[in-house]
Amino acid sequence: MKTEEMYAALNEIFRDFLADDTIDLKPETTADDVEGWDSSNHINILLAVEERFGIRMSTREIEKLKTVGSLAELIESKLAER
């Protein structure tokens, strides 16, 4: 999967869950940068990411995520394992 496609899919997920069509995720984006991205939405977003990409993330992996870029890297590594 190309990086552009991954970010397009991530943008769609975030926009849907946070009801904000103006979200434009970048690798350096954090929860502090996106209004409404709180702990409960974080869980829902990660579940949607797992479903969309057909992957599973461990609690340890999730705890290490600090930016959207680190999420994208984790998704890429999970997809490469298949």
Side-chain angles (χ1 to χ4, degrees):
M1 172 175 281
K2 294 182 182 179
T3 302
E4 300 85 25
E5 294 170 334
M6 181 179 310
Y7 276 89
L10 289 172
N11 273 314
E12 183 179 320
I13 291 167
F14 276 74
R15 289 172 182 169
D16 285 347
F17 274 97
L18 302 176
D20 182 352
D21 290 337
T22 66
I23 292 173
D24 186 26
L25 301 172
K26 306 281 187 236
E28 63 276 5
T29 303
T30 67
D32 291 336
D33 300 323
V34 180
E35 188 173 334
W37 186 359
D38 57 21
S39 58
S40 62
N41 280 326
H42 185 72
I43 293 166
N44 292 326
I45 288 167
L46 292 177
L47 290 171
V49 165
E50 287 183 329
E51 183 176 326
R52 166 63 180 83
F53 292 99
I55 61 170
R56 290 289 171 247
M57 297 178 276
S58 71
T59 302
R60 174 175 274 153
E61 290 168 328
I62 291 169
E63 289 173 348
K64 292 179 182 179
L65 299 175
K66 302 296 182 209
T67 64
V68 172
S70 61
L71 174 60
E73 290 172 7
L74 178 58
I75 294 167
E76 287 177 345
S77 71
K78 294 287 186 178
L79 292 176
E81 291 174 2
R82 295 195 284 170

